[in-house]
Amino acid sequence: MTKLGVNIDHVATVRQARQTNEPDPVWAAAMAQLGGADCITVHLREDRRHIQDRDVHVLKQTVSCKLNLECAVIPEMLDIACQIRPNQVCLVPERREEVTTEGGLDVVGNEHKVKQAIEQLRTAGIRISLFIDPRADQINAAAQLGAHAIEIHTGCYANACGENQDKELSKIALAAEHGTKAELEVHAGHGLTYDNVRPVAMVPGVSELNIGHSIVSRSIFVGLENAVREMKRLVSAHR
Ligand code: PXP
């Protein structure tokens, strides 16, 4: 059964819009877990545009399912991750001017940096996932450098329509097969919604999906617990 990781960054986005203390992503994590979340995901960005250091510290103490921290491959973030020790760190590319994460991490082009990051995180006892595009060279590099998991970037699939979307789904399926053969856990995420999630959830080998914007958007109307429950039903329906 495919698991659901709920990204609660955008709860913090609303809070930061007023630089106040509500809504609290820590409350969001509790509601998401009541709705059936298997994992809580947050991205601590270098510019702290949404999630703050305090959030990650309190989530580490309060989340009872898996806690997945997304961060850039930079010394500051790796040190924070090793101090907080979430269950998993997902290494992502990060550019200050982007609205959201664009494209996967170039593991091939940053082999040395990623290798050092993996070693540091492994020593701290943290599982490592690499957010990558569905490409064989990136998957091979992830396996070779000792990552535990890959998260396949589904943004191109989410943005495509018709035949192009089918082609993008095939790339995800091939990548999932490749990753499984390389003994990597295969996750997927980015741009997934209530409308487009089912085909990805049904790809053999994909064990976990990370979804944020669509769930938090729906939660405005139906509440977060209901929004998560609805997505969990779609994600975990049998293949
Ligand atoms: N996975 C990763 C690595 C991400 O960076 C994001 C966005 O923060 C997501 C999944 C979730 O994307 P979305 O908010 O579009 O569901």
Side-chain angles (χ1 to χ4, degrees), residues 5-7 9-10 41-43 45 50 68 70-71 90-93 98-103 129-132 151-155 158 188-193 209-216:
V6 177
N7 181 315
D9 290 350
H10 293 307
T41 295
V42 288
H43 184 171
R45 281 185 166 267
H50 39 52
N68 174 37
E70 293 176 1
C71 66
C90 180
L91 297 175
V92 300
E98 70 192 357
V99 174
T100 182
T101 315
E102 292 165 0
S129 173
L130 303 179
F131 183 54
I132 57 173
E151 180 174 330
I152 301 171
H153 191 314
T154 51
H190 210 282
L192 297 177
T193 68
L209 299 180
N210 270 303
I211 308 177
H213 187 264
S214 192
I215 293 176
V216 174

Side-chain angles (χ1 to χ4, degrees), residues 118 122 128-130 141-150 182-185:
I118 289 177
R122 264 187 178 269
I128 302 116
S129 173
L130 303 179
Q144 198 209 324
L145 297 185
H148 299 92
I150 51 169
E183 296 184 2
L184 291 159
E185 213 175 275

Side-chain angles (χ1 to χ4, degrees), residues 7-231:
N7 181 315
I8 53 173
D9 290 350
H10 293 307
V11 174
T13 302
V14 175
R15 177 190 60 192
Q16 295 312 114
R18 284 292 178 94
Q19 305 278 324
T20 177
N21 60 2
E22 64 176 6
D24 192 333
V26 175
W27 288 30
M31 300 311 291
Q33 287 172 95
L34 285 175
D38 300 293
C39 169
I40 299 295
T41 295
V42 288
H43 184 171
L44 185 65
R45 281 185 166 267
E46 200 183 358
D47 63 10
R48 307 298 198 275
R49 67 174 68 162
H50 39 52
I51 292 293
Q52 306 296 305
D53 299 54
R54 165 267 179 198
D55 301 331
V56 193
H57 280 281
V58 183
L59 287 168
K60 163 68 182 179
Q61 291 164 27
T62 53
V63 166
S64 54
C65 61
K66 173 174 160 184
L67 179 63
N68 174 37
L69 174 65
E70 293 176 1
C71 66
V73 192
I74 53 173
E76 182 203 0
M77 286 304 153
L78 297 170
D79 290 347
I80 291 172
C82 289
Q83 194 199 335
I84 298 179
R85 307 210 322 170
N87 304 94
Q88 178 179 281
V89 162
C90 180
L91 297 175
V92 300
E94 199 176 293
R95 286 193 298 120
R96 269 185 181 262
E97 64 277 17
E98 70 192 357
V99 174
T100 182
T101 315
E102 292 165 0
L105 184 68
D106 180 8
V107 184
V108 176
N110 295 283
E111 213 175 288
H112 183 64
K113 216 167 71 167
V114 177
K115 184 168 186 261
Q116 281 189 328
I118 289 177
E119 277 167 13
Q120 185 180 347
L121 293 165
R122 264 187 178 269
T123 306
I126 302 167
R127 287 181 67 79
I128 302 116
S129 173
L130 303 179
F131 183 54
I132 57 173
D133 292 328
R135 279 175 38 186
D137 57 346
Q138 299 291 349
I139 299 167
N140 290 340
Q144 198 209 324
L145 297 185
H148 299 92
I150 51 169
E151 180 174 330
I152 301 171
H153 191 314
T154 51
C156 291
Y157 161 81
N159 292 333
C161 329
E163 264 179 36
N164 287 337
Q165 192 165 50
D166 295 342
K167 280 186 198 153
E168 293 299 333
L169 184 64
S170 304
K171 287 186 200 167
I172 294 168
L174 268 179
E177 191 185 343
H178 192 134
T180 308
K181 279 189 185 147
E183 296 184 2
L184 291 159
E185 213 175 275
V186 179
H187 308 158
H190 210 282
L192 297 177
T193 68
Y194 294 84
D195 293 329
N196 68 20
V197 74
R198 281 286 295 146
V200 179
M202 285 174 37
V203 167
V206 171
S207 62
E208 189 173 301
L209 299 180
N210 270 303
I211 308 177
H213 187 264
S214 192
I215 293 176
V216 174
S217 301
R218 187 160 298 203
S219 78
I220 292 170
F221 304 108
V222 304
L224 187 56
E225 190 181 336
N226 286 331
V228 171
R229 190 168 291 125
E230 214 179 314
M231 186 60 89

